[in-house]
Amino acid sequence: MKNISVFLSDFKHAKDVYKPLRLRMSNPSDKKTFDALIEDDNVKFVCDEIYGQLQELIKSQNPSIKIKPDEYPELINKHLAGKNIQEYGVWVYYPWNQRLVHLLDEDEFVEVRTNRNRYKITREEQNKLKQKKIGIVGLSVGQSIALTMAMERTCGELRLADFDTAELSNLNRLRTGTHNLGLNKTVIAAREIAEIDPFLNTVIFNEGLHAGNMDDFFIGGGKLDLFVEVCDGLDVKIESRFKARELQIPVVMDTNDRGMLDVERFDLEPERAILHGLAAGLDPHNIKGLSNEDKIPYILRMIGADTISTRLKASMLEVEQSINTWPQLASSVTLGGALTTDVCRRILLDQFHESGRYYVDLDELVKDEQQPEKIVFHSTNPYLAIERADMKKIIGKYFAHAHAPDDNLSAIDLDKIIDAAIAAPSAGNNQPWKWVFSRGVLFLFHDRYRSWSWGDYYQMGAHMALGAALENVHLQSASLSLKDHIELFPLNDVPELIAAIRFTKSNLPADTATIDIAEHLFTRHTNRKLGKRQKLEPGFYSQLQQVAGKFKNVNIFYTDDEKQLEELSEIIAECDKVRLLNEMGHEEFYHEIRWNREEAEKTRDGVELGSVDISQGEIAGFKVAGDWNAVKLLSEWDKGDAFKKLSTKAVKSASAIIVFSIPEFTHTQLINAGMAVQHAWIFANQQGISVHPMLSPAFFFNRLIHGKEQELPPHVAEKLHLLRARFLKIFHTDMAGGQKEVFMMKVAIADDMGVKSLRKDKTELFFKD
């Protein structure tokens, strides 16, 4: 008796015990164990409802007869055939909760417990399912699947794999009580299955699924008939599918988002690509060498980043910002349990044969037919692209009041000047210019259709880009021993005509310095490469101020103070966040992005992502954030700090932030500022200093102050006022006297990114009349 007591004591306290004891009183050994349980006070609760179960059994065997309550005793005694009811069936002891339950034995138990399945599942089908073995890996979602399968008795054996234990945060979707915290999820699920049906065979793998136990999981004790994969690990997702395909075992995956169910019929299609080809390039060998960052593009492809729910996208953008990991809801997990069980049953009964992805999206199926009216805070592009005929007409108007000069430009020199002109930088690389050479005059037109931007109030950025282009014309002309004579806005009533430029021969050949800076205008570029902050020599800033001083009414200020740079990083980051949380700002940002070189080659404008020092995880985040509806939720929740990361990192590596300002906010002065910025930028690059424009504060402060908060929601305007106050506090002495900040750029020492923004073909931007 003592040995049995010791055994039972160890048994009930083991944290990995999940199999109950089944005791039949006709077996002397079982009877002895039963008595020991009672005598040693190892039973805290006894449930003996065997009489009610016998009633149900007799009722299920006689469905066409309405049995009266007083008829059951005789029918039960007849069924017992002289056996003591206390010894009939089986007593089941659950050591983890010290409960002892009296049940019908297996065949009768299964018959009664599955009786209400008829005829959605026939008895023949139920018997067929009893022979099936199903493996499930991942028990946060898989527990709901396993329990639903157990309740429906979709199989006779369940193999459960998960290395993790239950934590309090799991209880939003894991069906268990707080008393099970710290227990392995496989044990929790197996125990609950045993309490539902002690005759179901359950095998657990507490170390999860890995190369060392893969064979045991899939073929130990008989090959699996179906595999359910609902784990988080990419390695296991790939390795287990290769194994399933090798063994021709069908795979079902539930994502608990939008009711998406994934089916791969490797039993019918043994050559089928893993995950429908979405994991192309991955196999059990090369996946081990991938970093977590390298895995992210594959994960997004596999889950279908474009098809996940709006709320999941928004939540993913908050991971490691305001939440630790992506969310899972009990309702979605429970729905997944139902969907997976239903599909698995039909696969096992040879009633469903397809591979594919399927959605039971309740947000789409059950929704308000009348959606609330959308509030629009923005306008649309009011301009049409400027056409050749339009420009010729304007040029005709110009020559109606101006004489045509001698043509001092050779075709070669003109070609070089246009090459320089279109190499200029522009916001988002939108290239807002058209050039026409007619009767000895080079005309610069503003293509307002290309440059129009909600963020660019008063076309500040466009006019600065046009100024940069004019500076390139000036520098290239000088290197060719030509003098350029720029007439700004020669027709007051035609704002599209920015400049008319005449050229005369210089009496002196270009000096070496002039030629050198002209050559550097083609190598000038934005460098977004991150590096370590390094102090620059004070002489650099003095020289830069001398460069800017050559341009009338343009001033530059800088700070390389550590604390001020930290404050500026927050100001710039917050402005970037404001942009991306604004519908128009968001649309324009994604309109500018070129995800790869192939995209960039097609349009030859925009900003190629390869020019940004950005991780695979950050690229993935930006792709997810391309859904405005998801970002709109972040705006409504006052979240979205992930949008601050890139600019914060950029400023952390800055040697200094330089600000350009002008005293009067006019198009003429903006053009002049653009010329100064371009020359300063080329000079910095000549010195081996990288330049990265940080434009969002200047653009937003422009709309805030000069645009009088136009099209800014009140709470955004309030936030921007606070940010500008912080900005002015840094440059309070420098910006005194009403200076208007129009351009900010980071200067730093950094390795070259090696990727330059492309320009449109010259034939699109220039013609001779």
Side-chain angles (χ1 to χ4, degrees), residues 56 111-121:
E56 283 195 274
E111 172 63 27
V112 174
R113 198 176 78 75
T114 62
N115 183 257
R116 294 296 296 273
N117 286 353
R118 310 292 175 263
Y119 283 100
K120 287 194 169 183
I121 303 173

Side-chain angles (χ1 to χ4, degrees), residues 467-482:
L470 287 172
E471 180 62 11
N472 276 8
V473 168
H474 171 73
L475 294 173
Q476 185 71 307
S477 299
S479 74
L480 298 171
S481 299
L482 294 168

Side-chain angles (χ1 to χ4, degrees), residues 460 463-465 467-468 471 548 551-556 660-662 666-680 740 742-743:
M460 177 185 80
H463 282 85
M464 292 187 68
E471 180 62 11
F551 298 86
K552 186 178 179 182
N553 295 325
V554 178
N555 296 290
I556 68 168
F660 290 74
S661 72
I662 53 178
T666 66
H667 284 155
T668 299
Q669 289 208 7
L670 287 168
I671 287 172
N672 205 35
M675 297 175 76
V677 167
Q678 176 67 348
H679 203 121
K740 281 79 175 172
V742 293
F743 195 87

Side-chain angles (χ1 to χ4, degrees), residues 84-135:
N84 184 336
I85 193 171
Q86 291 301 307
E87 296 181 357
Y88 188 83
V90 61
W91 286 87
V92 180
Y93 178 65
Y94 298 99
W96 50 88
N97 56 25
Q98 295 182 278
R99 292 182 177 182
L100 187 63
V101 184
H102 194 182
L103 298 173
L104 296 173
D105 216 334
E106 184 170 2
D107 289 342
E108 292 179 344
F109 176 89
V110 173
E111 172 63 27
V112 174
R113 198 176 78 75
T114 62
N115 183 257
R116 294 296 296 273
N117 286 353
R118 310 292 175 263
Y119 283 100
K120 287 194 169 183
I121 303 173
T122 67
R123 184 173 282 104
E124 292 74 18
E125 289 170 338
Q126 200 82 62
N127 288 333
K128 184 177 180 180
L129 292 171
K130 185 179 178 180
Q131 309 306 315
K132 303 300 182 181
K133 299 175 177 65
I134 297 177

